[in-house]
């Protein structure tokens, strides 16, 4: 599988129980098959949702990722809180 | 004229996932507001309900995002989410009206994408849970991109509502339209804990006031400031278009911290 964009990967992961199982049970070989930059692989491997956000992932794809890897909602909020304002929302970018 | 109902309602997944975590009075006022919509929908004896919503990166991939997508299936199932405290239900689709709408769009000023299969998510199933709990009104899901910028403009969403109205008025069916989403929220983002009550109160006051179409003039930057989930007020613009710009009666507005969303329910006047 060739995946070149973080959100494409997170979308595929959200939709695939098989990919989720592989991520949880054999993360090294799961990530070895992905064509993603090392810093993204590291963020995925370490379940670093703040890094995923900093690296541009869509919040609505980080949230299901966090459920897959077992990050409770309160911990999710506390990890994300320091990033308030870091990525202004723009609905109509030019 | 067979446009029989137009409304709009919030659809945050936490509404059912964490219903009991809300301040009880707030939860009750939201449920009561939705119940007013439910009664009016029942009284309208609808043959079809057009449910205008976003897709939260469930069906439509982030790298290939249509501005607009009409679902043509004759049966649906949902919600796909297992964590929102709703049972999986089947819902009939009204494929004939969906095709009529698609063709009217293609004949007119829209060129929507279409899909023959769509997995329903909270954006449809939570509104249906409150509005047609028997799941006895066939639906036509219409998806507007509120997720991956650049988004369709508010005025285009309003024009789509006018198109839905025109198709409804030519139809022998009794048609309802419900826009789902908003008001302010930013799910999954660092700003998720902030509800922009000031924006929400301005928005409901405008759409219920003497110049409801003034919501189309809200600068996109102001909507952005209220959180990216607020982009879903596009569905309120679509509902307003379906209602020919008539004002809404706001049944409830509650900024519910446990649901991390400014939650509202409204019915629009429609010209008889």
């Amino acid at each position: 599988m060739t995946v070149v964009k973080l959100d494409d990967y997170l979308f595929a992961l959200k939709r695939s129980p098989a990919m989720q199982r592989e991520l949880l049970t054999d993360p090294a070989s799961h990530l070895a098959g992905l064509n993603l930059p090392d810093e993204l692989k590291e963020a995925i491997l370490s379940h670093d949702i703040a890094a995923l956000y900093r690296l541009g992932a869509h919040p609505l794809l980080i949230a299901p990722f966090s459920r897959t890897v077992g990050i409770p909602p309160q911990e999710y909020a506390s990890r994300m809180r320091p990033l308030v304002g870091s990525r202004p929302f723009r609905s109509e970018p030019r | 004229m067979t446009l029989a109902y137009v409304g709009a309602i919030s659809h945050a997944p936490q509404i059912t996932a964490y219903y009991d975590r809300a301040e009880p009075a707030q939860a009750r006022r939201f449920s009561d507001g939705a119940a007013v919509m439910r009664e009016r929908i029942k009284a309208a004896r609808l043959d079809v309900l057009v449910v205008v919503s976003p897709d939260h990166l469930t069906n439509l991939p982030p790298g290939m995002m249509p501005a607009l997508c009409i679902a043509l299936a004759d049966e649906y199932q949902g919600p796909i989410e297992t964590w929102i405290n709703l049972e999986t239900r089947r819902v009939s689709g009204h494929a004939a009206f969906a095709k009529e709408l698609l063709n009217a769009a293609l004949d007119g000023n829209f060129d929507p994408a279409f899909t023959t299969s769509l997995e329903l998510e909270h954006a449809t199933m939570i509104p249906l849970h409150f509005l047609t709990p028997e799941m006895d009104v066939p639906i036509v899901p219409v998806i507007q991109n509120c997720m991956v910028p650049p988004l369709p403009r508010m005025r285009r969403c309003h024009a789509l509502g006018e198109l839905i109205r025109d198709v409804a008025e030519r139809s022998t069916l009794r048609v309802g339209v419900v826009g789902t989403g908003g008001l302010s929220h930013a799910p999954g983002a660092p700003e998720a804990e902030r509800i922009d009550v000031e924006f929400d109160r301005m928005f409901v006051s405008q759409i219920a006031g003497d110049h409801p179409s003034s919501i189309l003039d809200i600068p996109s930057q102001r909507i952005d400031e209220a959180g990216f989930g607020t982009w879903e007020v596009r569905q309120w613009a679509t509902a307003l278009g379906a209602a020919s710009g008539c004002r809404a009666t706001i049944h409830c507005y509650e900024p519910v911290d446990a649901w991390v969303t400014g939650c509202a329910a409204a019915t629009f006047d429609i010209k008889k």
Side-chain angles (χ1 to χ4, degrees):
Chain A
M1 181 180 182
T2 302
V3 174
V4 293
K5 295 278 175 26
L6 177 57
D7 279 352
D8 292 340
Y9 162 75
L10 292 172
F11 177 74
L13 181 73
K14 172 182 170 178
R15 291 183 55 84
S16 168
M19 282 177 67
Q20 293 166 18
R21 269 195 304 276
E22 192 181 66
L23 171 65
L24 295 175
T25 58
D26 190 1
S29 59
H30 174 74
L31 289 171
L34 297 174
N35 180 15
L36 283 172
D38 286 345
E39 62 177 347
L40 293 182
K41 287 187 178 183
E42 180 52 39
I44 294 163
L45 192 61
S46 56
H47 303 171
D48 188 344
I49 54 172
L52 291 175
Y53 188 76
R54 279 197 306 273
L55 293 166
H58 197 293
L60 287 174
L61 292 171
I62 302 174
F65 173 84
S66 75
R67 285 190 285 275
T68 295
V69 301
I71 299 171
Q74 282 184 342
E75 187 183 337
Y76 186 102
S78 69
R79 288 208 221 166
M80 295 295 265
R81 210 169 285 134
L83 297 173
V84 167
S86 63
R87 260 175 58 187
F89 304 121
R90 293 182 65 208
S91 53
E92 298 175 12
R94 300 284 176 173
Chain B
M1 304 238 308
T2 53
L3 180 69
Y5 181 81
V6 180
I9 187 169
S10 302
H11 65 219
Q14 294 84 358
I15 294 171
T16 54
Y18 307 140
Y19 187 86
D20 293 336
R21 295 187 199 174
E23 196 70 39
Q26 282 197 301
R28 189 174 58 249
R29 286 194 292 269
F30 178 77
S31 290
D32 288 349
V36 176
M37 292 178 69
R38 177 167 68 243
E39 286 157 16
R40 295 189 184 185
I41 286 171
K42 191 171 184 184
R45 294 176 291 107
L46 301 180
D47 298 308
V48 54
L49 180 61
V50 179
V51 184
V52 187
S53 79
D55 177 74
H56 299 76
L57 305 174
T58 293
N59 293 273
L60 304 174
M64 193 163 52
M65 183 58 65
L68 172 62
C69 183
I70 298 176
L72 304 177
D74 53 20
E75 188 171 65
Y76 300 95
Q77 187 170 297
I80 192 167
E81 298 94 340
T82 55
W83 62 278
I84 64 169
N85 202 23
L86 288 182
E87 288 178 12
T88 303
R89 304 285 298 272
R90 289 177 184 273
V91 190
S92 294
H94 204 301
F97 190 78
K99 283 175 193 154
E100 212 173 316
L101 187 57
L102 174 62
N103 278 308
L106 295 169
D107 288 339
N109 287 320
F110 287 92
D111 302 290
F114 59 88
T115 175
T116 53
S117 65
L118 186 78
E119 294 179 277
L120 298 183
E121 49 161 21
H122 67 275
T124 305
M125 294 309 290
I126 287 178
L128 294 186
H129 166 77
F130 284 101
L131 304 182
T132 57
E134 306 299 323
M135 304 292 161
D136 51 355
V137 180
I139 63 168
V140 173
V142 173
I143 308 295
Q144 298 186 129
N145 174 21
C146 303
M147 295 298 143
V148 183
L151 306 184
R153 311 311 194 220
M154 287 281 279
R155 286 188 181 280
R156 289 293 283 163
C157 297
H158 182 267
L160 176 70
E162 294 175 323
L163 178 96
I164 297 170
R165 173 205 63 199
D166 291 345
V167 176
E169 291 184 349
R170 287 198 302 268
S171 172
T172 56
L173 302 170
R174 295 181 62 80
V175 179
V177 180
V178 169
T180 91
L183 301 177
S184 69
H185 62 309
E191 294 80 2
E193 295 168 304
R194 171 176 174 255
I195 299 173
D196 190 338
V197 177
E198 184 187 338
F199 172 89
D200 291 345
R201 292 202 186 284
M202 172 194 75
F203 186 84
V204 295
S205 142
Q206 284 183 229
I207 207 162
D210 291 335
H211 303 288
S213 297
S214 63
I215 65 160
L216 305 177
D217 298 322
I218 301 172
S220 62
Q221 295 87 339
R222 180 64 190 95
I223 298 176
D224 296 346
E225 284 166 15
F228 82 94
T230 320
W231 295 343
E232 293 172 347
V233 296
R234 278 162 175 73
Q235 280 72 252
W236 290 64
T238 308
L240 179 66
S244 301
C246 294
R247 76 171 70 188
T249 298
I250 306 297
H251 303 313
C252 60
Y253 168 69
E254 296 294 332
V256 184
D257 289 336
W259 302 345
V260 291
T261 303
C263 293
T267 294
F268 292 78
D269 292 348
I270 44 180
K271 289 173 183 163
K272 297 289 182 188

